[in-house]
Amino acid sequence: MNVTVADGAGFCFGVKRALKIAFDAARKGDGPIVTLGPIIHNPQVVERLEDEGLRVVSELGEVDGGTLVVRSHGLPRRVFDDAASRGIDIVDATCPFVKQAQDRATQLEQEGYSVVVIGEEDHPEVLSITGNLERPATVVDGPRGLGEISKLPRVGIVCQTTQPLEHLTAVTDALLERTRELKVFNTICEATFARQESALKLAGRVDLMLVVGGKNSANTRRLWELCREAGCDAYHIETKDELEPEWFEGKREVGITGGASTPQWIIQEIVEAVEDT
Ligand code: SF4
């Protein structure tokens, strides 16, 4: 079986940076070191970090002092305030590109625009963007979610950094027809663009795509959807243990890509397992 790994598969700049910050904080080990939710959407990496002493909690009430490492997705402002009031130190590993999306949304709000965030309503990054605003924002993942917002005279748009460009253009087009003034910040990060483009290019020339990453990783799921929408057989897996021999029957060329939170060692294990098929 011939195996090709897509350019840019695996950890992005923001995830590498967040992991380094988290490991450094764990090594200093000053009281409990925690993250609110897993630091990245990959259970295998989270297990390794737990071995280093980084605990995952679901709320700050579970922590007594110590340090909170803010994930690359960022956090709403009220959580920073809550941590400060509990005497919890903060180590902020918010990805600079996510921070930029937060800042752009704040800028739009301050300039008097009604803010629309294109993304997944419950995604931590989206919650960090809306949670840094003074007023509620509208979150949509396509034009259908716009509802009443389309009747407002001044609307400003930002995007969850891992959204596909088509979502941004579809919402922008829909609003252009119905809004007097529209300001758009394309806050999709370059790493996401590059990864999606290289996955699509590879999907166009192989018999089968394997998309590697946490089942709870939105950007990995999106890569899988893109490969399938391109007409390629594609499977979303977390580890080599999920590979099924029948997937490879009659196939010669296999492409592999991985989400922003997929470590190289997991991709490499899958490459070796497929090459041996
Ligand atoms: S995908 Fe982009 S925005 Fe998200 S963590 Fe990675 S580099 Fe940052």
Side-chain angles (χ1 to χ4, degrees):
M1 200 72 62
N2 292 328
V3 181
T4 309
V5 178
D7 291 339
F11 282 172
C12 62
F13 153 79
V15 165
K16 279 186 201 158
R17 178 177 172 276
L19 287 173
K20 179 174 182 329
I21 291 172
F23 272 115
D24 287 350
R27 263 179 228 120
K28 279 188 192 150
D30 199 10
I33 315 288
V34 301
T35 54
L36 269 177
I39 185 141
I40 61 170
H41 288 149
N42 186 286
Q44 292 74 28
V45 174
V46 170
E47 260 172 46
R48 286 197 174 185
L49 275 162
E50 274 172 359
D51 293 343
E52 297 282 333
L54 193 91
R55 236 173 76 210
V56 178
V57 297
S58 53
E59 52 186 61
L60 289 183
E62 296 172 42
V63 190
D64 188 14
T67 302
L68 169 68
V69 179
V70 178
R71 305 181 294 175
S72 58
H73 299 312
L75 280 171
R77 193 175 335 135
R78 66 176 164 73
V79 182
F80 282 84
D81 295 344
D82 189 17
S85 71
R86 291 169 186 273
I88 297 170
D89 291 334
I90 293 209
V91 173
D92 191 354
T94 305
C95 174
F97 296 119
V98 173
K99 184 78 178 61
Q100 189 179 47
Q102 293 172 351
D103 291 346
R104 292 301 197 190
T106 301
Q107 178 188 336
L108 288 168
E109 181 177 62
Q110 287 170 351
E111 290 174 355
Y113 293 94
S114 301
V115 178
V116 172
V117 182
I118 302 172
E120 294 163 73
E121 201 169 10
D122 297 327
H123 193 281
E125 182 190 316
V126 172
L127 296 173
S128 86
I129 295 170
T130 57
N132 276 281
L133 297 173
E134 298 295 331
R135 294 185 294 279
T138 301
V139 180
V140 296
D141 63 0
R144 269 178 309 179
L146 286 169
E148 288 304 305
I149 195 86
S150 58
K151 293 180 186 136
L152 292 170
R154 299 181 80 220
V155 177
I157 295 178
V158 296
C159 250
Q160 183 181 345
T161 54
T162 48
Q163 281 288 294
L165 185 62
E166 305 86 74
H167 287 193
L168 174 59
T169 51
V171 173
T172 303
D173 284 351
L175 280 168
L176 269 174
E177 289 173 10
R178 291 169 280 180
T179 307
R180 302 303 300 172
E181 186 181 337
L182 183 63
K183 189 160 180 174
V184 182
F185 285 116
N186 178 354
T187 50
I188 301 170
C189 97
E190 287 297 326
T192 304
F193 266 130
R195 191 178 307 102
Q196 290 178 351
E197 263 182 38
S198 66
L200 271 176
K201 211 161 128 195
L202 189 55
R205 69 173 180 82
V206 296
D207 305 312
L208 172 73
M209 280 296 288
L210 298 173
V211 183
V212 187
K215 295 279 162 64
N216 56 351
S217 159
N219 76 84
T220 306
R221 270 202 317 275
R222 186 59 200 151
L223 281 175
W224 176 50
E225 282 166 13
L226 283 172
C227 293
R228 290 196 308 167
E229 283 164 17
C232 186
D233 278 354
Y235 296 96
H236 176 180
I237 57 173
E238 284 187 357
T239 68
K240 66 180 169 61
D241 300 335
E242 291 163 73
L243 294 170
E244 298 287 349
E246 60 265 29
W247 295 349
F248 303 95
E249 283 167 15
K251 315 279 191 206
R252 288 172 57 85
E253 298 290 336
V254 176
I256 297 182
T257 188
S261 46
T262 306
Q264 292 302 333
W265 58 268
I266 290 186
I267 293 175
Q268 191 51 37
E269 275 183 0
I270 291 169
V271 169
E272 284 164 21
V274 175
E275 280 174 343
D276 290 345
T277 305

